[in-house]
RNA sequence: GCCGAAGUGGUGGAACUGGUAGACACGCCGGACUCAAAAUCCGGUGGAGGUUAUACUUCGUGAGGGUUCGAGUCCCUCCUUCGGUACCA
């Protein structure tokens, strides 16, 4: 009898599978039964494939083979995440060009993957650095650019001084160090390209419901996007530098109505809407109204806007009346892009009495979140002074002309006022009665408007001190720091004025950059209040008896409202919504959804990446490279030693080609793309990897995707998935594809640890090389062992003797094959099975088939292998082995052990290849045992078992049980109760 | 702190919707083969008690409570480990 030796046949079959194209991806059309098995394309490292790759690939390969045998159309592709920093760093160290190095590594990878017996169709191969791939990466960039989803802006970026490159926020560890090298990250201002992924935030959250992913992965995606639904509260600023005279407030501002029209008209001059086409000004129709003794023309457009605005906002038509006489009127008001333009009309007899200010204040109060625009004659010094006091600033000039007398243009100032309203975001409206201060971030955009002259020095000193702090210091600082601005904010809920501080514990890039300080119920605010001796106010309290607020920390528990006026006594969750609704209805708050997600910064100042397909004209404006000029090739001969500048900037060849093509003074973008861009769409290209005409054939992609199984390591999944989903949604919006989630079903594999239980690393000398394992035991053993180690998702230590156990299993399979009696036939099995000597074998193989298929579907390979071992152990004990039974065993084993099963299949005289043979069916009725063992419990404790015919009723089981001494001895009297679960258990209560 | 996952023999791990806990494998012990070893094969193997042996008894799924005829599985509280994340308002 020949011994099991994988070396005898592995090579032979490997070659045969290649020459016969056994795993060729079939043609497909939408709606065909298909299985797209995707493994996250690996980075082709010089170190070769590691055992973790093997685990993921085999976990992809088994379902792929299984589904192929089920007759589905299967695609099992492979590709390379071949751009990126490691290759470049390696090149800098060794002087070997990244391209040469990478191409070499890929060759080794392909050989290893073939050795393991992964059923890859190499026609699907893609690689991030292949010209015919990155051409389309660039094409995608251009589509995003054209759709307004790629933009450039100067931004403080994370800069790693060691790697000399920009890092995405995500690539900075929580302690402020570089993800790759551990160096402390600095901040630097650079012009960077961004993708506007934030536009997709809601879909990226909501569509998670469509996919079958591990809960933890979905949760991570949600956390990363960080959607919180709340509202922004509008706080009026009280900056003592802008002192409004109190007398301005004394007038009662009322709404004007149609009855006032005649009265109002005395301020105006009749005859508005005269046709008076003036070619110089473009005015078509003129409203001639009196304004400060002058008649002014208003364009039709403006009038239209005003009348529309008044229709929608009747309260904006305002007058001030005194003893029935109209003193002033607000007119020509309209809103555009959150800017309110308006005119103030004051009766000539009542100027200088604060009528104008009163009107304005009313408008500001009504529209706290807006910008205001007003035009005023340069020689109307009184008005100018008034506007300045109200916080208006001159932003430009324009002209009015009087009654068509062109020579009499009046020079005007255009003045604008940003209403000094501070927005704070919150989800916790129940605490709104409680803030005792307001904090803004040091980077707050309108800081200058808040800081008073008196506090200017102190504030700028504080901000300087922050700039010297690294992010690390800022984040780990335990003490709260900050400084008073001199201004106050008015709480829209109760009109309380509270001081405004600048402090670095508020982040400029989340929410609005301003936060209300609720020291009673927020620990950070509490710390700050203690430091600056600010009052602490509580807005909720539990009704527990003897409850006291904690003495040295904030009360962060739940409770009922207190100090909240009309809302006192409400449970906080109810109060939260009611207070929010109230403020929103009063225009004191705006519903708002906030995201933690930021736009995707994709520029990298690196060589080994996909060039960004942008050219700059001599004026420096960015243009997308015309599609016919793609790809923008990455030049080979470039000095890529790190200098802090993009290596491509030093390539003359690269820049010269731009001038030749687009003219003198044109320059190319020298940054390359984040490699996450490459990896966000590779799974589309697999389907049509060789297409030179377009990115992919939409019909093919629509037929193959979404993927049916995506195996990807559990650790670095957040960003890749987010970005891939973003691209998919973009493609969907562009009409390129008809689905908007790329990965229907996804699972993760855990780390494989070294035999010592530590992470595999050269440092510990505990690295297991798959090549060695194949050499020692053969590929089938390695595959099955990795699947048998435990659940895919778990981290598992390597155990060499356990691997030998798998080899033992396969040898025993081999030995059993050699014992087969070839005399029996399948027919006998089929028709005479009940009384044949192989009845039990038939039952066992049916049970096995019934088990293994679903186990592959649920990726519980470890139990599938265990069942096969059990089955094989059973066969070993049988005197004779039925050929048909064994053949079906081989079919079931084939996805796991492709080599040995192919060999046995062929020796049994079957046609090549087992991997395209049909998956065996099972007969449910044949899986049933004729008798079952039933556990007998007395009062819930197992006291023995009885053997009865399957399907027996309670009485049969009970009387059988009573024949057992050990059971009967517990049952002295008639049992109180019997609980019987058929074929499983009988519980007797005595 | 928050979110997620998980704690089962000496080890990796099984256990379907609550129904005989420890499948399968490693390791270990004993035996066969061998001059011997390796390899291979056969048998045993959760702890404690108990029997010449078979029985049998009892305790056992991180800890403590609860629901149930019955809990590794469901509920509550807590502990530990791993993964993610954090002045996110």
């Amino acid at each position: 009898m020949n011994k099991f030796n994988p070396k005898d046949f592995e090579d032979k079959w490997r070659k045969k599978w290649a020459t016969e194209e056994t795993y060729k991806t079939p043609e497909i059309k939408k709606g065909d039964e298909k299985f797209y098995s995707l493994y996250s394309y690996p980075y082709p490292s010089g170190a070769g494939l590691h055992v973790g790759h093997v685990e993921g690939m085999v976990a992809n390969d088994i379902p792929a083979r299984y589904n192929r045998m089920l007759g589905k159309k299967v695609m099992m592709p492979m590709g390379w995440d071949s751009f990126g920093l490691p290759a470049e760093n390696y090149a800098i160290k060794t002087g070997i060009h990244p391209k040469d190095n990478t191409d070499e590594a890929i060759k080794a990878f392909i050989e290893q993957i073939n050795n393991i017996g992964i059923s890859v169709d190499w026609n699907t191969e893609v690689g991030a650095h292949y010209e015919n791939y990155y051409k389309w990466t660039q094409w995608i960039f251009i589509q995003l650019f054209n759709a307004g989803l790629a933009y450039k802006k100067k931004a403080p970026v994370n800069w790693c001084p060691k790697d000399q490159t920009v890092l995405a926020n995500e690539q900075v560890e929580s302690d402020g160090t570089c993800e790759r090298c551990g160096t402390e990250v600095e901040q630097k201002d650079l012009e960077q390209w961004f993708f506007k992924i934030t536009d997709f935030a809601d879909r990226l959250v909501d569509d998670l419901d469509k996919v079958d992913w591990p809960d933890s992965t979905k949760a991570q995606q949600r956390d990363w996007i960080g959607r919180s639904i709340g509202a922004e509260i509008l706080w009026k600023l009280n900056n003592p530098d802008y002192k409004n005279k109190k007398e301005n407030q004394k007038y009662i501002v009322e709404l004007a109505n149609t009855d006032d029209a005649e009265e109002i008209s005395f301020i105006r001059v009749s005859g508005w809407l005269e046709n008076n086409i003036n070619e110089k000004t473009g005015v078509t129709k003129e409203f001639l109204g009196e304004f400060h003794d002058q008649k002014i023309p208003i364009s039709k457009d403006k009038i239209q806007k005003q009348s529309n605005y008044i229709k929608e906002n009747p309260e904006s038509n305002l007058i001030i009346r005194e003893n029935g006489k109209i003193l002033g009127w607000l007119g020509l008001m309209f809103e555009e892009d959150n800017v309110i333009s308006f005119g103030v009309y004051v009766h000539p007899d009542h100027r200088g009495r604060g009528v104008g200010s009163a009107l304005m204040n009313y408008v500001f109060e009504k529209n706290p979140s807006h910008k205001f625009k007003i035009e005023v004659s340069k020689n109307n010094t009184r008005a100018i002074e008034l506007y300045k006091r109200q916080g208006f600033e001159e932003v430009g000039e324009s002209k009015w002309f009087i009654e068509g007398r062109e020579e009499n243009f009046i020079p005007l100032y255009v003045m604008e006022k940003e209403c000094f309203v501070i927005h704070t975001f919150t989800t916790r409206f129940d605490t709104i009665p409680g803030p005792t201060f307001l904090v803004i971030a040091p980077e707050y955009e309108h800081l200058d408007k808040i800081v008073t002259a008196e506090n200017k020095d102190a504030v700028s000193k504080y901000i300087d001190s922050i700039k010297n702090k690294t992010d690390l210091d800022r984040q780990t600082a335990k003490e709260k720091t900050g400084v008073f601005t001199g201004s106050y904010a008015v709480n829209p809920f109760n009109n309380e004025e509270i001081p405004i501080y600048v402090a670095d514990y508020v982040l400029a890039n989340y929410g609005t950059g301003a936060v209300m300080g609720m020291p009673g119920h927020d620990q950070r605010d509490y710390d700050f209040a203690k430091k600056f001796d600010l009052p602490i106010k509580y807005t909720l309290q539990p009704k527990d008896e003897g409850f006291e607020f904690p003495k040295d920390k904030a009360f962060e528990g739940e409770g009922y409202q207190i100090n909240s006026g009309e809302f006192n006594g409400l449970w906080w969750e109810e109060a939260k919504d009611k207070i929010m609704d109230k403020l929103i209805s009063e225009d004191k708050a705006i519903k708002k959804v906030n995201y933690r997600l930021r736009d995707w910064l994709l520029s990298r100042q690196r060589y080994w990446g996909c060039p960004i397909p942008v050219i700059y004209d001599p004026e420096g404006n960015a243009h997308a490279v015309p599609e016919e000029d793609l790809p923008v090739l990455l030049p080979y001969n470039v000095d890529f030693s790190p200098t802090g500048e993009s290596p491509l900037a030093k390539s003359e060849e690269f820049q010269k080609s731009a001038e030749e093509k687009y003219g003198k003074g044109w320059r190319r973008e020298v940054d390359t793309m984040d490699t996450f861009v490459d990896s966000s769409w590779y799974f589309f290209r697999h389907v049509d990897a060789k297409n030179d005409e377009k990115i992919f054939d939409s019909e093919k992609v629509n037929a193959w995707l979404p993927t049916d199984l995506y195996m990807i390591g559990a650790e670095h999944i957040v960003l890749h998935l987010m970005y891939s989903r973003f691209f998919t949604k973009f493609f969907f919006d562009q009409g390129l594809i008809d689905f908007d989630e790329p990965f229907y079903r996804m699972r993760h594999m855990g780390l494989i640890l070294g035999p010592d239980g530590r992470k595999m690393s050269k440092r510990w000398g505990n690295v297991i090389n798959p090549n060695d394992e194949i050499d020692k035991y053969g590929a089938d053993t390695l595959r099955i062992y990795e699947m048998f180690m435990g659940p895919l998702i778990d981290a598992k230590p390597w155990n060499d003797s356990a691997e030998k156990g798998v080899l033992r299993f396969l040898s025993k399979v081999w030995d059993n094959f050699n014992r087969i009696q070839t005399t029996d036939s399948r027919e006998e099995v089929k028709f005479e099975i009940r009384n044949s000597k192989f009845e039990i074998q038939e039952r066992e193989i049916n049970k096995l088939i019934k088990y293994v298929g679903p186990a592959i579907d649920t990726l519980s390979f470890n139990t599938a292998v265990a069942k096969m071992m059990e089955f094989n152990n059973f066969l070993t004990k049988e005197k004779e082995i039925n050929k048909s039974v064994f053949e079906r065993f081989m079919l079931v084993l084939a996805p796991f052990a492709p080599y040995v099963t192919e060999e046995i299949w062929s020796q049994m005289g079957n046609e090549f290849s087992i991997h395209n043979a049909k998956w065996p069916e099972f007969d449910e009725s044949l899986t049933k045992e004729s008798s079952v063992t039933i556990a007998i419990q007395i009062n819930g404790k197992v006291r023995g078992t009885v053997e009865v015919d399957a399907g027996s009723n309670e009485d049969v089981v009970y009387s059988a049980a009573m024949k057992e001494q050990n059971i009967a001895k517990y049952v002295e009297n008639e049992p109180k109760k019997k609980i019987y679960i058929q074929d499983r258990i009988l519980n007797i209560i005595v």
Side-chain angles (χ1 to χ4, degrees):
Chain A
M1 197 162 76
N2 60 338
K3 257 192 88 199
F4 173 63
N5 184 5
K7 288 213 167 76
D8 292 346
F9 49 79
E10 282 196 359
D11 265 352
K12 173 177 80 186
W13 293 118
R14 188 155 41 232
K15 281 181 191 132
K16 178 111 173 161
W17 293 331
T19 52
E20 300 282 327
E21 296 193 297
T22 307
Y23 310 122
K24 194 171 162 57
T25 314
E27 290 293 318
I28 193 176
K29 60 180 194 304
K30 179 99 182 165
D32 285 353
E33 283 239 57
K34 57 95 184 178
F35 190 82
Y36 182 174
S37 186
L38 181 69
Y39 176 70
S40 55
Y41 76 162
Y43 164 70
S45 120
L49 213 61
H50 57 73
V51 288
H53 286 132
V54 176
E55 184 189 21
M57 287 179 188
V58 173
N60 264 114
D61 189 47
I62 291 170
R65 288 175 180 275
Y66 168 61
N67 281 287
R68 212 176 269 127
M69 291 171 80
L70 285 179
K72 291 190 195 168
K73 300 194 165 172
V74 170
M75 177 158 65
M76 175 84 207
M78 196 55 70
W80 320 110
D81 186 14
S82 44
F83 269 138
L85 223 50
E88 188 166 340
N89 286 342
Y90 183 76
I92 290 163
K93 212 160 73 189
T94 60
I96 303 170
H97 194 281
K99 182 170 188 313
D100 303 341
N101 188 35
T102 303
D103 288 342
E104 201 59 39
I106 287 174
K107 261 188 225 153
F109 264 62
I110 292 177
E111 199 192 322
Q112 281 184 302
I113 291 168
N114 285 335
N115 284 349
I116 298 157
I118 307 297
S119 59
V120 169
D121 174 4
W122 290 107
N123 293 308
T124 62
E125 186 197 358
V126 301
H129 80 293
Y130 295 169
E131 278 173 29
N132 77 349
Y133 184 82
Y134 73 71
K135 171 178 176 180
W136 300 106
T137 308
Q138 293 173 340
W139 182 86
I140 295 168
F141 180 97
I142 291 171
Q143 307 313 308
L144 284 160
F145 180 87
N146 292 340
L149 292 169
Y151 66 95
K152 204 178 187 191
K153 83 173 181 205
K154 195 159 197 153
V157 292
N158 305 301
W159 175 261
C160 173
K162 182 160 175 284
D163 290 341
Q164 293 280 314
T165 189
V166 167
L167 302 171
N169 283 341
E170 303 70 80
Q171 290 165 324
V172 181
E173 298 288 336
S174 57
D175 62 353
T177 58
C178 169
E179 177 190 64
R180 294 183 195 272
C181 68
T183 311
E184 203 165 285
V185 172
E186 296 170 357
Q187 296 293 305
K188 197 172 174 180
D189 265 347
L190 277 178
E191 283 272 326
Q192 306 284 324
W193 283 99
F194 288 84
F195 286 150
K196 226 170 169 182
I197 190 172
T198 50
D199 276 12
F200 293 73
D202 274 322
R203 292 162 73 188
L204 289 170
V205 176
D206 295 339
D207 291 350
L208 285 172
D209 294 339
K210 293 184 187 171
V211 294
D212 173 11
W213 293 6
D215 286 344
S216 60
T217 308
K218 288 190 183 186
Q220 277 182 51
Q221 294 268 303
R222 286 199 190 94
D223 287 353
W224 194 263
I225 297 165
R227 176 163 74 182
S228 47
I229 298 166
E232 284 181 7
I233 303 161
L234 313 181
W235 301 71
K236 261 188 290 166
L237 175 77
N238 182 358
N239 181 337
D241 286 355
Y242 299 109
K243 282 196 199 90
N244 297 320
K245 287 183 190 158
K246 275 281 173 257
E247 66 203 76
N248 293 345
Q249 313 289 343
K250 77 182 176 194
Y251 298 104
I252 296 165
V253 182
E254 15 175 314
L255 295 185
N257 58 43
T258 44
D259 298 340
D260 296 324
E262 207 156 313
E263 277 194 85
I264 289 170
S265 73
F266 87 88
I267 308 179
R268 311 196 313 220
V269 166
S270 61
W272 67 337
L273 292 184
E274 278 177 8
N275 279 320
N276 190 357
I277 296 157
N278 183 300
E279 280 164 22
K280 275 234 164 83
T281 58
V283 169
T284 50
K285 272 188 179 175
E286 286 180 296
F287 166 67
L288 296 181
E290 188 191 58
F291 181 73
H292 297 291
D293 305 326
Q294 263 135 26
K295 289 173 186 171
I296 53 165
I298 312 290
S299 70
K300 187 189 175 188
D301 180 41
K302 272 191 181 175
I303 287 182
Q304 195 56 50
K305 276 181 190 160
Q306 183 202 13
S307 74
N308 287 346
Y309 188 75
I310 290 176
K311 252 180 237 156
E312 281 162 30
N313 306 277
E315 73 279 10
S316 66
N317 209 7
L318 303 169
I319 57 171
I320 286 180
R321 216 190 285 266
E322 190 179 62
N323 300 327
K325 283 213 128 193
I326 287 178
L327 310 185
W329 174 61
L330 198 71
L332 293 178
M333 185 146 132
F334 60 88
E335 184 185 344
E336 210 166 39
D337 299 334
N338 244 12
V339 176
I340 290 180
S341 300
F342 64 102
V344 177
Y345 302 85
V346 180
H347 192 279
D349 297 347
H350 301 286
R351 288 186 183 147
R353 290 181 54 191
V355 174
S357 289
L359 283 165
M360 276 186 262
N361 281 337
Y362 191 88
V363 175
F364 300 155
E365 263 176 44
K366 273 283 168 199
N367 306 284
S369 61
H370 289 68
K371 217 180 201 179
F372 299 94
K373 190 170 158 190
I374 207 161
E375 290 172 323
V376 57
S377 157
K378 271 187 176 174
N379 43 35
N380 190 345
T381 50
R382 198 209 307 260
I384 289 171
E385 200 206 322
L386 167 68
Y387 296 143
K388 277 191 174 159
R389 205 165 61 221
Q390 287 281 2
F392 278 91
E393 281 169 20
E394 187 194 332
V395 294
E397 290 188 6
S398 70
K399 281 174 182 173
W400 273 342
F401 80 104
I402 304 159
E403 288 194 13
R405 282 179 290 147
E406 291 169 29
E407 67 275 19
N408 272 342
F409 278 90
I410 299 175
L412 298 171
Y413 283 131
V414 177
M415 300 186 83
E416 269 183 16
K417 165 177 168 159
E418 183 90 54
C419 193
F420 294 153
V421 163
I422 298 167
H423 296 224
T424 63
F425 177 76
T426 190
T427 54
R428 288 290 303 272
F429 273 75
D430 49 306
T431 59
I432 281 187
T436 53
F437 57 93
L438 206 126
V439 197
I440 55 179
E443 299 87 356
Y444 194 74
E445 204 186 337
H446 304 296
L447 191 62
D448 54 323
K449 288 177 180 158
I450 295 167
V451 179
T452 59
E454 193 187 340
N455 292 275
K456 215 169 187 129
D457 284 351
V459 170
S460 49
K461 218 160 148 194
Y462 176 69
I463 288 170
D464 285 348
S465 79
I466 304 246
K467 277 190 183 144
N468 291 335
K469 271 205 235 173
T470 62
D471 258 22
L472 183 62
D473 290 341
R474 212 172 137 173
Q475 274 169 28
T476 51
K478 293 207 173 64
E479 277 278 289
K480 294 272 182 289
T481 60
V483 62
F484 181 47
T485 61
S487 287
Y488 296 83
V490 183
N491 187 335
F493 179 79
N494 52 18
N495 290 324
E496 275 175 25
E497 288 204 357
I498 56 174
I500 304 174
Y501 282 75
V502 179
D504 67 352
Y505 80 92
V506 173
L507 307 172
N509 46 17
Y510 179 76
T512 62
V515 171
M516 52 184 193
M518 310 170 298
H521 302 288
D522 184 291
Q523 190 54 43
R524 295 156 301 174
D525 296 339
Y526 181 92
D527 295 342
F528 190 79
K530 279 285 164 198
K531 175 93 193 249
F532 290 91
D533 213 15
L534 292 156
I536 292 169
K537 200 170 147 187
Y538 297 94
T539 63
L540 36 103
Q541 183 181 346
K543 282 183 175 158
D544 303 352
E545 202 140 317
F547 173 82
E548 276 179 42
F549 287 108
K551 288 246 159 14
D552 51 355
K553 58 175 201 252
F555 171 65
E556 293 187 307
E558 306 186 319
Y560 296 88
Q561 293 297 130
I562 54 169
N563 295 326
S564 308
E566 58 186 287
F567 299 97
N568 277 343
L570 288 182
W571 180 245
W572 70 276
E573 280 173 304
E574 194 188 345
K576 187 177 100 166
D577 293 340
K578 289 202 163 153
I579 296 177
M580 179 164 94
D581 289 348
K582 180 172 187 247
L583 289 182
I584 287 173
S585 70
E586 290 173 355
D587 287 330
K588 290 170 175 170
I590 302 161
K591 258 224 161 92
K592 183 93 192 202
V593 181
N594 246 319
Y595 303 93
R596 206 181 77 111
L597 182 73
R598 315 274 159 73
D599 277 343
W600 175 8
L601 196 173
L602 64 121
S603 299
R604 294 292 181 273
Q605 289 65 44
R606 278 295 187 158
Y607 165 67
W608 190 236
C610 174
I612 295 176
V614 163
I615 40 176
Y616 296 96
D617 63 28
E619 281 79 49
N621 301 310
H623 302 265
V625 168
E627 282 180 25
E628 60 270 23
D629 292 347
L630 294 181
V632 176
L633 287 175
L634 182 69
Y636 183 87
N637 288 314
V638 173
D639 171 18
F640 45 80
S641 53
T643 59
E645 192 186 19
S646 296
L648 289 182
K650 287 174 283 186
S651 167
E652 272 183 42
E653 168 194 348
F654 191 60
Q655 291 300 358
K656 220 160 55 193
S657 69
E659 294 217 325
E660 280 164 11
K661 261 210 158 84
Y662 309 111
K664 209 172 157 42
W666 286 71
R667 312 228 359 117
R668 285 192 192 280
E669 170 66 58
V670 293
D671 287 353
T672 52
M673 295 188 209
D674 179 4
T675 53
F676 274 121
V677 183
D678 310 322
S679 60
S680 294
W681 73 281
Y682 75 96
F683 42 88
F684 290 105
R685 185 68 179 175
H686 276 319
V687 173
D688 202 7
K690 289 173 176 157
N691 198 328
D692 288 329
E693 303 300 314
K694 46 188 173 180
I695 179 164
F696 50 67
D697 183 280
S698 292
E699 269 181 40
K700 282 187 192 165
V701 165
N702 286 337
W704 277 113
L705 276 89
T707 61
D708 298 276
L709 174 62
Y710 192 19
M711 286 301 304
I712 178 166
E715 47 287 336
H716 298 295
I717 50 172
V718 182
L719 297 169
H720 165 63
L721 295 177
M722 187 84 66
Y723 296 152
S724 300
R725 297 176 61 223
F726 161 48
F727 272 26
T728 304
K729 288 175 194 307
F730 174 66
F731 289 172
F732 174 80
D733 292 351
Q734 296 282 302
L736 229 49
I737 54 175
D738 64 4
F739 55 95
D740 65 353
E741 280 292 335
F743 314 123
Y744 172 64
R745 185 152 174 260
M746 178 168 58
R747 292 295 181 269
H748 308 305
M749 61 274 182
L751 271 185
I752 294 184
L753 308 170
D756 53 2
R758 286 187 292 203
K759 200 172 162 175
M760 280 193 196
S761 148
K762 274 188 203 150
R763 186 162 146 223
W764 306 119
N766 60 357
V767 178
I768 304 289
N769 183 334
N771 283 356
D772 298 343
E773 303 309 301
I774 293 176
D775 208 43
K776 277 191 286 186
Y777 309 116
D780 288 335
T781 298
L782 175 65
R783 290 169 61 107
I784 293 181
Y785 170 60
E786 290 211 22
M787 293 303 103
F788 186 58
M789 290 175 88
L792 274 185
I793 183 85
D794 291 356
K796 307 156 281 249
W798 192 269
N799 180 339
D800 195 63
S801 24
E803 190 185 8
K804 274 185 210 150
V806 174
L807 178 68
R808 224 169 279 153
F809 160 62
L810 290 177
S811 317
K812 286 189 223 167
V813 170
W814 182 260
D815 293 346
N816 281 334
F817 159 62
N818 282 294
R819 287 175 48 224
I820 289 183
Q821 307 294 307
T822 47
T823 47
D824 70 277
S825 73
R826 192 167 275 208
E827 268 59 44
E828 180 201 353
V829 169
K830 231 179 192 169
F831 300 112
E832 312 288 340
I833 190 64
R834 273 296 170 202
N835 297 310
S836 99
K837 59 185 169 182
F838 297 124
E839 180 179 343
I840 300 185
Q841 283 183 28
E842 187 61 28
R843 185 182 73 213
E844 291 305 314
I845 189 69
N846 272 277
K847 276 161 73 180
L848 184 69
I849 297 165
K850 184 184 173 186
Y851 188 88
V852 173
I856 294 175
D857 280 331
T858 56
L859 310 186
S860 86
F861 303 126
N862 53 335
T863 60
V865 172
K867 290 283 184 216
M868 289 190 280
M869 286 175 165
E870 215 171 332
F871 177 78
N872 191 56
N873 289 345
F874 155 78
L875 284 189
T876 306
K877 292 201 175 85
E878 290 287 284
K879 285 203 182 73
E880 287 176 46
I881 297 171
N882 177 280
K883 185 185 171 197
S884 153
V885 166
F886 198 83
E887 230 169 48
R888 278 174 283 163
F889 178 34
M890 287 305 98
L891 288 165
V892 168
L893 181 58
F896 297 81
Y899 289 101
V900 68
T901 51
E902 187 79 281
E903 175 67 19
I904 292 175
W905 185 253
S906 132
Q907 285 198 28
M908 285 178 99
N910 291 299
E911 207 176 293
F912 178 88
S913 151
I914 189 170
H915 303 299
N916 287 320
K918 199 166 164 294
W919 184 260
E921 288 174 3
F922 67 91
D923 181 341
E924 181 70 38
S925 68
L926 293 179
T927 65
K928 295 275 193 296
E929 311 251 353
S930 54
S931 69
V932 290
T933 311
I934 291 183
I936 308 300
Q937 295 183 331
I938 309 293
N939 291 341
K941 276 199 160 68
V942 178
R943 294 295 176 181
T945 58
V946 293
E947 189 86 9
V948 296
D949 290 343
S952 298
N953 64 22
E954 181 177 320
D955 294 340
V956 173
V957 176
Y958 182 71
S959 55
M962 286 308 113
K963 283 181 196 132
E964 295 287 321
Q965 259 251 290
N966 278 320
I967 298 163
K969 72 182 180 190
Y970 292 97
V971 189
E972 287 163 350
N973 308 311
E974 185 61 19
K976 277 189 196 153
K977 198 177 169 188
K978 284 176 271 183
I979 291 144
Y980 177 60
I981 310 292
Q982 195 170 55
D983 294 349
R984 281 190 179 269
I985 206 159
L986 174 68
N987 193 0
I988 303 166
I989 314 302
V990 295

